[in-house]
Amino acid sequence: MIEVVRGDITKLDVDAIVNAANESLLGGGGVDGAIHRAAGPELLAECETLGGAKTGQAKRTRGHRLPARYVVHAVGPVWRGGGHGEDDLLASCYRESLRLASDLRSIAFPAISTGVFAFPIERATRIAVREVKRFLAAGGHSLEKVVFCCFSAADEAVYRKVLAPE
Ligand code: AR6
């Protein structure tokens, strides 16, 4: 049910991909830039109707020119040392994204906040894995597959380590 893949999330044939966005929801660099480039200008036009989102929140749009039917735009926290609610805000991103995809069968996540926003990768991965496992176990959704899409081999190794049975 949980898979780890390495590559470009914009290429994945899943019902929804999650975007690591910022509060404007109007695009940026990193995975956000890649998703907007691949989805086409129709995605930005739809995002302009959303009125942004607060850190820890998520909003859903269509996928436009992406293989994925939907994009869930989640706003992760900027890492400020760990004492500013970063863990809870990141956990909230995963929960909100999963809730917005609970009518779908498959969703793929990037490593939210671990790029430009500088959240430590292993700490972020433990939160991501915990929230996904809890959500899947709680039921009340139609998800059959959750993909963690890693951009680097180093990130992939962290996900595989965190997901490995004890
Ligand atoms: N597919 C999968 N993962 C990717 C891709 C891709 N095509 N491109 C980058 N990554 P970041 P953040 C990985 O910086 O830290 C933007 O400007 C990347 O290697 O994209 O949440 C937004 O607009 C890293 O592992 O997101 C915000 O302002 C992960 O995606 C801000 O950056 C997240 O890195 C958000 O920062």
Side-chain angles (χ1 to χ4, degrees), residues 36-83:
H36 276 272
R37 276 193 299 279
E42 299 87 352
L43 179 61
L44 181 59
E46 187 177 357
C47 285
E48 282 168 349
T49 70
L50 300 177
K54 294 215 167 76
T55 300
Q57 293 184 338
K59 291 190 179 176
R60 175 166 136 176
T61 65
R62 303 199 64 82
H64 300 282
R65 301 182 197 181
L66 291 166
R69 283 157 59 213
Y70 299 100
V71 178
V72 173
H73 305 263
V75 185
V78 176
W79 179 256
R80 293 198 285 147

mmCIF file of all heavy atoms in Angstrom, residues 36-83:
data_model
loop_
_atom_site.group_PDB
_atom_site.id
_atom_site.type_symbol
_atom_site.label_atom_id
_atom_site.label_comp_id
_atom_site.label_asym_id
_atom_site.label_seq_id
_atom_site.Cartn_x
_atom_site.Cartn_y
_atom_site.Cartn_z
ATOM 1 N N HIS A 36 3.898 23.183 -11.956
ATOM 2 C CA HIS A 36 3.243 24.215 -12.776
ATOM 3 C C HIS A 36 3.693 24.150 -14.234
ATOM 4 O O HIS A 36 2.878 24.306 -15.144
ATOM 5 C CB HIS A 36 3.464 25.605 -12.171
ATOM 6 C CG HIS A 36 2.469 25.932 -11.089
ATOM 7 N ND1 HIS A 36 1.249 26.505 -11.351
ATOM 8 C CD2 HIS A 36 2.506 25.711 -9.764
ATOM 9 C CE1 HIS A 36 0.576 26.638 -10.215
ATOM 10 N NE2 HIS A 36 1.320 26.171 -9.234
ATOM 11 N N ARG A 37 4.969 23.881 -14.453
ATOM 12 C CA ARG A 37 5.449 23.761 -15.841
ATOM 13 C C ARG A 37 4.768 22.597 -16.553
ATOM 14 O O ARG A 37 4.336 22.715 -17.707
ATOM 15 C CB ARG A 37 6.970 23.540 -15.873
ATOM 16 C CG ARG A 37 7.769 24.829 -15.795
ATOM 17 C CD ARG A 37 9.240 24.602 -16.158
ATOM 18 N NE ARG A 37 9.906 23.657 -15.264
ATOM 19 C CZ ARG A 37 10.386 23.962 -14.060
ATOM 20 N NH1 ARG A 37 10.282 25.203 -13.594
ATOM 21 N NH2 ARG A 37 10.976 23.051 -13.311
ATOM 22 N N ALA A 38 4.662 21.478 -15.864
ATOM 23 C CA ALA A 38 4.101 20.285 -16.506
ATOM 24 C C ALA A 38 2.579 20.359 -16.652
ATOM 25 O O ALA A 38 2.012 19.800 -17.588
ATOM 26 C CB ALA A 38 4.488 19.043 -15.699
ATOM 27 N N ALA A 39 1.929 21.051 -15.719
ATOM 28 C CA ALA A 39 0.452 21.112 -15.743
ATOM 29 C C ALA A 39 -0.053 22.172 -16.712
ATOM 30 O O ALA A 39 -1.201 22.102 -17.163
ATOM 31 C CB ALA A 39 -0.084 21.395 -14.346
ATOM 32 N N GLY A 40 0.796 23.161 -17.024
ATOM 33 C CA GLY A 40 0.400 24.216 -17.954
ATOM 34 C C GLY A 40 -0.240 25.403 -17.242
ATOM 35 O O GLY A 40 -0.540 25.344 -16.047
ATOM 36 N N PRO A 41 -0.461 26.485 -17.984
ATOM 37 C CA PRO A 41 -0.960 27.732 -17.381
ATOM 38 C C PRO A 41 -2.371 27.618 -16.801
ATOM 39 O O PRO A 41 -2.764 28.430 -15.970
ATOM 40 C CB PRO A 41 -0.935 28.731 -18.547
ATOM 41 C CG PRO A 41 -0.843 27.908 -19.788
ATOM 42 C CD PRO A 41 -0.165 26.627 -19.410
ATOM 43 N N GLU A 42 -3.096 26.594 -17.212
ATOM 44 C CA GLU A 42 -4.447 26.401 -16.652
ATOM 45 C C GLU A 42 -4.376 26.134 -15.150
ATOM 46 O O GLU A 42 -5.321 26.458 -14.411
ATOM 47 C CB GLU A 42 -5.158 25.229 -17.331
ATOM 48 C CG GLU A 42 -5.356 25.411 -18.840
ATOM 49 C CD GLU A 42 -4.170 24.939 -19.692
ATOM 50 O OE1 GLU A 42 -3.093 24.594 -19.138
ATOM 51 O OE2 GLU A 42 -4.321 24.936 -20.931
ATOM 52 N N LEU A 43 -3.263 25.530 -14.707
ATOM 53 C CA LEU A 43 -3.149 25.256 -13.260
ATOM 54 C C LEU A 43 -3.023 26.577 -12.492
ATOM 55 O O LEU A 43 -3.698 26.771 -11.478
ATOM 56 C CB LEU A 43 -1.961 24.343 -12.955
ATOM 57 C CG LEU A 43 -1.774 24.050 -11.459
ATOM 58 C CD1 LEU A 43 -2.986 23.334 -10.867
ATOM 59 C CD2 LEU A 43 -0.511 23.223 -11.206
ATOM 60 N N LEU A 44 -2.182 27.470 -12.979
ATOM 61 C CA LEU A 44 -2.032 28.763 -12.292
ATOM 62 C C LEU A 44 -3.364 29.515 -12.288
ATOM 63 O O LEU A 44 -3.758 30.097 -11.271
ATOM 64 C CB LEU A 44 -0.944 29.604 -12.963
ATOM 65 C CG LEU A 44 -0.691 30.972 -12.318
ATOM 66 C CD1 LEU A 44 -0.287 30.813 -10.862
ATOM 67 C CD2 LEU A 44 0.396 31.737 -13.087
ATOM 68 N N ALA A 45 -4.068 29.464 -13.406
ATOM 69 C CA ALA A 45 -5.368 30.144 -13.475
ATOM 70 C C ALA A 45 -6.323 29.595 -12.417
ATOM 71 O O ALA A 45 -7.033 30.362 -11.749
ATOM 72 C CB ALA A 45 -5.968 29.979 -14.872
ATOM 73 N N GLU A 46 -6.322 28.279 -12.224
ATOM 74 C CA GLU A 46 -7.195 27.704 -11.193
ATOM 75 C C GLU A 46 -6.704 28.092 -9.793
ATOM 76 O O GLU A 46 -7.511 28.427 -8.912
ATOM 77 C CB GLU A 46 -7.275 26.170 -11.333
ATOM 78 C CG GLU A 46 -8.302 25.584 -10.388
ATOM 79 C CD GLU A 46 -8.493 24.075 -10.513
ATOM 80 O OE1 GLU A 46 -7.878 23.427 -11.374
ATOM 81 O OE2 GLU A 46 -9.288 23.557 -9.703
ATOM 82 N N CYS A 47 -5.386 28.083 -9.611
ATOM 83 C CA CYS A 47 -4.827 28.445 -8.292
ATOM 84 C C CYS A 47 -5.151 29.891 -7.918
ATOM 85 O O CYS A 47 -5.326 30.204 -6.740
ATOM 86 C CB CYS A 47 -3.320 28.227 -8.282
ATOM 87 S SG CYS A 47 -2.845 26.485 -8.192
ATOM 88 N N GLU A 48 -5.246 30.747 -8.922
ATOM 89 C CA GLU A 48 -5.553 32.161 -8.651
ATOM 90 C C GLU A 48 -6.946 32.340 -8.051
ATOM 91 O O GLU A 48 -7.235 33.376 -7.457
ATOM 92 C CB GLU A 48 -5.402 32.988 -9.937
ATOM 93 C CG GLU A 48 -3.944 33.273 -10.236
ATOM 94 C CD GLU A 48 -3.671 33.843 -11.630
ATOM 95 O OE1 GLU A 48 -4.594 33.835 -12.480
ATOM 96 O OE2 GLU A 48 -2.531 34.280 -11.871
ATOM 97 N N THR A 49 -7.802 31.342 -8.204
ATOM 98 C CA THR A 49 -9.160 31.435 -7.639
ATOM 99 C C THR A 49 -9.215 30.956 -6.186
ATOM 100 O O THR A 49 -10.265 31.051 -5.550
ATOM 101 C CB THR A 49 -10.161 30.569 -8.446
ATOM 102 O OG1 THR A 49 -9.873 29.175 -8.227
ATOM 103 C CG2 THR A 49 -10.095 30.884 -9.928
ATOM 104 N N LEU A 50 -8.098 30.421 -5.656
ATOM 105 C CA LEU A 50 -8.153 29.735 -4.356
ATOM 106 C C LEU A 50 -7.950 30.653 -3.163
ATOM 107 O O LEU A 50 -8.289 30.297 -2.041
ATOM 108 C CB LEU A 50 -7.107 28.610 -4.311
ATOM 109 C CG LEU A 50 -7.255 27.510 -5.364
ATOM 110 C CD1 LEU A 50 -6.102 26.516 -5.244
ATOM 111 C CD2 LEU A 50 -8.582 26.783 -5.214
ATOM 112 N N GLY A 51 -7.341 31.811 -3.383
ATOM 113 C CA GLY A 51 -7.107 32.735 -2.264
ATOM 114 C C GLY A 51 -6.019 32.282 -1.303
ATOM 115 O O GLY A 51 -6.039 32.646 -0.130
ATOM 116 N N GLY A 52 -5.069 31.481 -1.782
ATOM 117 C CA GLY A 52 -3.954 31.049 -0.938
ATOM 118 C C GLY A 52 -4.373 30.035 0.103
ATOM 119 O O GLY A 52 -5.521 29.568 0.128
ATOM 120 N N ALA A 53 -3.420 29.686 0.951
ATOM 121 C CA ALA A 53 -3.681 28.734 2.039
ATOM 122 C C ALA A 53 -2.671 29.015 3.139
ATOM 123 O O ALA A 53 -1.572 29.517 2.878
ATOM 124 C CB ALA A 53 -3.542 27.293 1.552
ATOM 125 N N LYS A 54 -3.057 28.677 4.374
ATOM 126 C CA LYS A 54 -2.143 28.888 5.503
ATOM 127 C C LYS A 54 -1.181 27.704 5.626
ATOM 128 O O LYS A 54 -1.484 26.599 5.187
ATOM 129 C CB LYS A 54 -2.941 28.995 6.796
ATOM 130 C CG LYS A 54 -3.839 30.229 6.854
ATOM 131 C CD LYS A 54 -3.909 30.758 8.291
ATOM 132 C CE LYS A 54 -4.523 32.138 8.334
ATOM 133 N NZ LYS A 54 -5.982 32.091 8.150
ATOM 134 N N THR A 55 -0.064 27.936 6.258
ATOM 135 C CA THR A 55 0.888 26.859 6.531
ATOM 136 C C THR A 55 0.189 25.744 7.311
ATOM 137 O O THR A 55 -0.540 26.015 8.264
ATOM 138 C CB THR A 55 2.085 27.410 7.329
ATOM 139 O OG1 THR A 55 2.707 28.432 6.548
ATOM 140 C CG2 THR A 55 3.094 26.319 7.641
ATOM 141 N N GLY A 56 0.397 24.528 6.828
ATOM 142 C CA GLY A 56 -0.265 23.374 7.449
ATOM 143 C C GLY A 56 -1.561 22.991 6.758
ATOM 144 O O GLY A 56 -2.116 21.937 7.040
ATOM 145 N N GLN A 57 -2.043 23.864 5.855
ATOM 146 C CA GLN A 57 -3.281 23.574 5.127
ATOM 147 C C GLN A 57 -2.991 23.075 3.713
ATOM 148 O O GLN A 57 -1.867 23.180 3.224
ATOM 149 C CB GLN A 57 -4.152 24.831 5.024
ATOM 150 C CG GLN A 57 -4.696 25.298 6.363
ATOM 151 C CD GLN A 57 -5.630 26.486 6.198
ATOM 152 O OE1 GLN A 57 -5.592 27.214 5.218
ATOM 153 N NE2 GLN A 57 -6.472 26.678 7.199
ATOM 154 N N ALA A 58 -4.039 22.572 3.056
ATOM 155 C CA ALA A 58 -3.922 22.102 1.675
ATOM 156 C C ALA A 58 -5.207 22.413 0.917
ATOM 157 O O ALA A 58 -6.273 22.527 1.523
ATOM 158 C CB ALA A 58 -3.657 20.598 1.660
ATOM 159 N N LYS A 59 -5.082 22.584 -0.380
ATOM 160 C CA LYS A 59 -6.238 22.784 -1.261
ATOM 161 C C LYS A 59 -6.051 21.950 -2.525
ATOM 162 O O LYS A 59 -4.920 21.752 -2.962
ATOM 163 C CB LYS A 59 -6.415 24.264 -1.609
ATOM 164 C CG LYS A 59 -6.853 25.100 -0.393
ATOM 165 C CD LYS A 59 -7.262 26.510 -0.760
ATOM 166 C CE LYS A 59 -7.714 27.267 0.493
ATOM 167 N NZ LYS A 59 -8.036 28.680 0.196
ATOM 168 N N ARG A 60 -7.147 21.521 -3.106
ATOM 169 C CA ARG A 60 -7.086 20.600 -4.252
ATOM 170 C C ARG A 60 -7.523 21.294 -5.538
ATOM 171 O O ARG A 60 -8.504 22.040 -5.534
ATOM 172 C CB ARG A 60 -7.989 19.404 -3.956
ATOM 173 C CG ARG A 60 -8.141 18.406 -5.067
ATOM 174 C CD ARG A 60 -8.782 17.125 -4.518
ATOM 175 N NE ARG A 60 -9.816 16.617 -5.397
ATOM 176 C CZ ARG A 60 -10.484 15.473 -5.197
ATOM 177 N NH1 ARG A 60 -10.229 14.728 -4.130
ATOM 178 N NH2 ARG A 60 -11.404 15.080 -6.017
ATOM 179 N N THR A 61 -6.787 21.027 -6.608
ATOM 180 C CA THR A 61 -7.178 21.498 -7.951
ATOM 181 C C THR A 61 -7.177 20.304 -8.900
ATOM 182 O O THR A 61 -6.740 19.209 -8.535
ATOM 183 C CB THR A 61 -6.184 22.530 -8.521
ATOM 184 O OG1 THR A 61 -4.920 21.885 -8.724
ATOM 185 C CG2 THR A 61 -6.024 23.736 -7.617
ATOM 186 N N ARG A 62 -7.572 20.571 -10.124
ATOM 187 C CA ARG A 62 -7.441 19.550 -11.169
ATOM 188 C C ARG A 62 -5.968 19.479 -11.601
ATOM 189 O O ARG A 62 -5.176 20.369 -11.314
ATOM 190 C CB ARG A 62 -8.332 19.890 -12.358
ATOM 191 C CG ARG A 62 -9.794 20.028 -11.953
ATOM 192 C CD ARG A 62 -10.729 19.908 -13.126
ATOM 193 N NE ARG A 62 -10.642 18.573 -13.714
ATOM 194 C CZ ARG A 62 -11.284 17.483 -13.254
ATOM 195 N NH1 ARG A 62 -12.081 17.577 -12.220
ATOM 196 N NH2 ARG A 62 -11.129 16.319 -13.850
ATOM 197 N N GLY A 63 -5.625 18.422 -12.321
ATOM 198 C CA GLY A 63 -4.234 18.224 -12.739
ATOM 199 C C GLY A 63 -3.907 18.819 -14.101
ATOM 200 O O GLY A 63 -2.747 18.868 -14.492
ATOM 201 N N HIS A 64 -4.954 19.244 -14.835
ATOM 202 C CA HIS A 64 -4.769 19.856 -16.151
ATOM 203 C C HIS A 64 -3.908 18.969 -17.057
ATOM 204 O O HIS A 64 -4.280 17.845 -17.301
ATOM 205 C CB HIS A 64 -4.268 21.297 -15.993
ATOM 206 C CG HIS A 64 -5.262 22.109 -15.213
ATOM 207 N ND1 HIS A 64 -6.416 22.598 -15.773
ATOM 208 C CD2 HIS A 64 -5.334 22.431 -13.903
ATOM 209 C CE1 HIS A 64 -7.130 23.211 -14.842
ATOM 210 N NE2 HIS A 64 -6.499 23.121 -13.697
ATOM 211 N N ARG A 65 -2.721 19.405 -17.474
ATOM 212 C CA ARG A 65 -1.953 18.609 -18.454
ATOM 213 C C ARG A 65 -1.111 17.500 -17.828
ATOM 214 O O ARG A 65 -0.332 16.833 -18.534
ATOM 215 C CB ARG A 65 -1.051 19.542 -19.280
ATOM 216 C CG ARG A 65 -1.852 20.603 -20.032
ATOM 217 C CD ARG A 65 -0.954 21.499 -20.878
ATOM 218 N NE ARG A 65 -1.667 22.718 -21.239
ATOM 219 C CZ ARG A 65 -1.161 23.691 -21.989
ATOM 220 N NH1 ARG A 65 0.075 23.592 -22.459
ATOM 221 N NH2 ARG A 65 -1.879 24.762 -22.254
ATOM 222 N N LEU A 66 -1.211 17.323 -16.518
ATOM 223 C CA LEU A 66 -0.460 16.241 -15.845
ATOM 224 C C LEU A 66 -1.143 14.902 -16.071
ATOM 225 O O LEU A 66 -2.355 14.856 -16.275
ATOM 226 C CB LEU A 66 -0.441 16.493 -14.332
ATOM 227 C CG LEU A 66 0.367 17.666 -13.826
ATOM 228 C CD1 LEU A 66 -0.027 17.946 -12.374
ATOM 229 C CD2 LEU A 66 1.851 17.376 -13.933
ATOM 230 N N PRO A 67 -0.388 13.814 -15.964
ATOM 231 C CA PRO A 67 -1.053 12.500 -15.936
ATOM 232 C C PRO A 67 -1.976 12.368 -14.723
ATOM 233 O O PRO A 67 -3.008 11.695 -14.807
ATOM 234 C CB PRO A 67 0.099 11.492 -15.858
ATOM 235 C CG PRO A 67 1.362 12.240 -16.064
ATOM 236 C CD PRO A 67 1.079 13.709 -15.936
ATOM 237 N N ALA A 68 -1.617 12.980 -13.617
ATOM 238 C CA ALA A 68 -2.456 12.919 -12.409
ATOM 239 C C ALA A 68 -3.717 13.758 -12.615
ATOM 240 O O ALA A 68 -3.666 14.844 -13.191
ATOM 241 C CB ALA A 68 -1.675 13.446 -11.204
ATOM 242 N N ARG A 69 -4.860 13.252 -12.141
ATOM 243 C CA ARG A 69 -6.128 13.977 -12.327
ATOM 244 C C ARG A 69 -6.237 15.192 -11.423
ATOM 245 O O ARG A 69 -6.937 16.154 -11.731
ATOM 246 C CB ARG A 69 -7.302 13.038 -12.045
ATOM 247 C CG ARG A 69 -7.572 12.079 -13.185
ATOM 248 C CD ARG A 69 -8.324 10.847 -12.679
ATOM 249 N NE ARG A 69 -9.595 11.185 -12.061
ATOM 250 C CZ ARG A 69 -10.139 10.519 -11.029
ATOM 251 N NH1 ARG A 69 -9.495 9.498 -10.491
ATOM 252 N NH2 ARG A 69 -11.299 10.861 -10.544
ATOM 253 N N TYR A 70 -5.575 15.126 -10.277
ATOM 254 C CA TYR A 70 -5.675 16.217 -9.296
ATOM 255 C C TYR A 70 -4.302 16.569 -8.744
ATOM 256 O O TYR A 70 -3.397 15.728 -8.727
ATOM 257 C CB TYR A 70 -6.571 15.814 -8.111
ATOM 258 C CG TYR A 70 -7.983 15.497 -8.526
ATOM 259 C CD1 TYR A 70 -8.397 14.181 -8.688
ATOM 260 C CD2 TYR A 70 -8.896 16.520 -8.777
ATOM 261 C CE1 TYR A 70 -9.694 13.878 -9.091
ATOM 262 C CE2 TYR A 70 -10.196 16.235 -9.174
ATOM 263 C CZ TYR A 70 -10.588 14.914 -9.335
ATOM 264 O OH TYR A 70 -11.869 14.626 -9.738
ATOM 265 N N VAL A 71 -4.208 17.826 -8.284
ATOM 266 C CA VAL A 71 -3.039 18.260 -7.516
ATOM 267 C C VAL A 71 -3.543 18.739 -6.157
ATOM 268 O O VAL A 71 -4.506 19.529 -6.101
ATOM 269 C CB VAL A 71 -2.280 19.414 -8.208
ATOM 270 C CG1 VAL A 71 -1.096 19.867 -7.353
ATOM 271 C CG2 VAL A 71 -1.794 18.992 -9.594
ATOM 272 N N VAL A 72 -2.927 18.250 -5.104
ATOM 273 C CA VAL A 72 -3.227 18.742 -3.758
ATOM 274 C C VAL A 72 -2.068 19.659 -3.372
ATOM 275 O O VAL A 72 -0.916 19.212 -3.287
ATOM 276 C CB VAL A 72 -3.370 17.587 -2.762
ATOM 277 C CG1 VAL A 72 -3.522 18.131 -1.340
ATOM 278 C CG2 VAL A 72 -4.559 16.703 -3.129
ATOM 279 N N HIS A 73 -2.366 20.938 -3.189
ATOM 280 C CA HIS A 73 -1.335 21.932 -2.894
ATOM 281 C C HIS A 73 -1.237 22.076 -1.380
ATOM 282 O O HIS A 73 -2.157 22.618 -0.749
ATOM 283 C CB HIS A 73 -1.697 23.272 -3.524
ATOM 284 C CG HIS A 73 -1.939 23.173 -5.004
ATOM 285 N ND1 HIS A 73 -0.965 23.466 -5.932
ATOM 286 C CD2 HIS A 73 -3.038 22.783 -5.711
ATOM 287 C CE1 HIS A 73 -1.464 23.261 -7.149
ATOM 288 N NE2 HIS A 73 -2.717 22.850 -7.047
ATOM 289 N N ALA A 74 -0.148 21.582 -0.806
ATOM 290 C CA ALA A 74 0.032 21.621 0.649
ATOM 291 C C ALA A 74 1.126 22.625 0.982
ATOM 292 O O ALA A 74 2.157 22.682 0.304
ATOM 293 C CB ALA A 74 0.424 20.234 1.153
ATOM 294 N N VAL A 75 0.893 23.412 2.017
ATOM 295 C CA VAL A 75 1.880 24.424 2.419
ATOM 296 C C VAL A 75 2.617 23.923 3.654
ATOM 297 O O VAL A 75 2.066 23.894 4.760
ATOM 298 C CB VAL A 75 1.213 25.779 2.720
ATOM 299 C CG1 VAL A 75 2.290 26.822 3.022
ATOM 300 C CG2 VAL A 75 0.322 26.215 1.564
ATOM 301 N N GLY A 76 3.846 23.501 3.448
ATOM 302 C CA GLY A 76 4.673 23.023 4.561
ATOM 303 C C GLY A 76 5.292 24.189 5.313
ATOM 304 O O GLY A 76 5.345 25.319 4.814
ATOM 305 N N PRO A 77 5.778 23.917 6.527
ATOM 306 C CA PRO A 77 6.435 24.959 7.316
ATOM 307 C C PRO A 77 7.869 25.202 6.865
ATOM 308 O O PRO A 77 8.550 24.283 6.414
ATOM 309 C CB PRO A 77 6.428 24.372 8.728
ATOM 310 C CG PRO A 77 6.511 22.893 8.507
ATOM 311 C CD PRO A 77 5.722 22.625 7.244
ATOM 312 N N VAL A 78 8.305 26.439 7.033
ATOM 313 C CA VAL A 78 9.728 26.756 6.890
ATOM 314 C C VAL A 78 10.410 26.298 8.183
ATOM 315 O O VAL A 78 9.908 26.581 9.287
ATOM 316 C CB VAL A 78 9.935 28.281 6.713
ATOM 317 C CG1 VAL A 78 11.421 28.622 6.654
ATOM 318 C CG2 VAL A 78 9.207 28.786 5.473
ATOM 319 N N TRP A 79 11.523 25.563 8.062
ATOM 320 C CA TRP A 79 12.254 25.100 9.258
ATOM 321 C C TRP A 79 12.902 26.299 9.948
ATOM 322 O O TRP A 79 13.650 27.052 9.322
ATOM 323 C CB TRP A 79 13.319 24.090 8.837
ATOM 324 C CG TRP A 79 14.133 23.565 9.979
ATOM 325 C CD1 TRP A 79 15.411 23.920 10.307
ATOM 326 C CD2 TRP A 79 13.708 22.596 10.938
ATOM 327 N NE1 TRP A 79 15.815 23.216 11.422
ATOM 328 C CE2 TRP A 79 14.789 22.401 11.826
ATOM 329 C CE3 TRP A 79 12.527 21.872 11.143
ATOM 330 C CZ2 TRP A 79 14.725 21.517 12.900
ATOM 331 C CZ3 TRP A 79 12.454 20.988 12.205
ATOM 332 C CH2 TRP A 79 13.544 20.822 13.068
ATOM 333 N N ARG A 80 12.557 26.469 11.259
ATOM 334 C CA ARG A 80 13.160 27.561 12.028
ATOM 335 C C ARG A 80 13.782 27.011 13.309
ATOM 336 O O ARG A 80 13.687 27.616 14.370
ATOM 337 C CB ARG A 80 12.097 28.626 12.355
ATOM 338 C CG ARG A 80 11.590 29.354 11.104
ATOM 339 C CD ARG A 80 10.892 30.663 11.460
ATOM 340 N NE ARG A 80 9.580 30.423 12.026
ATOM 341 C CZ ARG A 80 9.020 31.194 12.971
ATOM 342 N NH1 ARG A 80 9.677 32.244 13.461
ATOM 343 N NH2 ARG A 80 7.825 30.909 13.429
ATOM 344 N N GLY A 81 14.350 25.805 13.215
ATOM 345 C CA GLY A 81 15.043 25.225 14.353
ATOM 346 C C GLY A 81 14.259 24.147 15.076
ATOM 347 O O GLY A 81 14.797 23.446 15.927
ATOM 348 N N GLY A 82 12.976 24.036 14.783
ATOM 349 C CA GLY A 82 12.174 22.948 15.358
ATOM 350 C C GLY A 82 11.309 23.371 16.531
ATOM 351 O O GLY A 82 10.446 22.605 16.964
ATOM 352 N N GLY A 83 11.520 24.562 17.037
ATOM 353 C CA GLY A 83 10.765 25.014 18.211
ATOM 354 C C GLY A 83 9.587 25.918 17.885
ATOM 355 O O GLY A 83 9.043 26.587 18.760
#
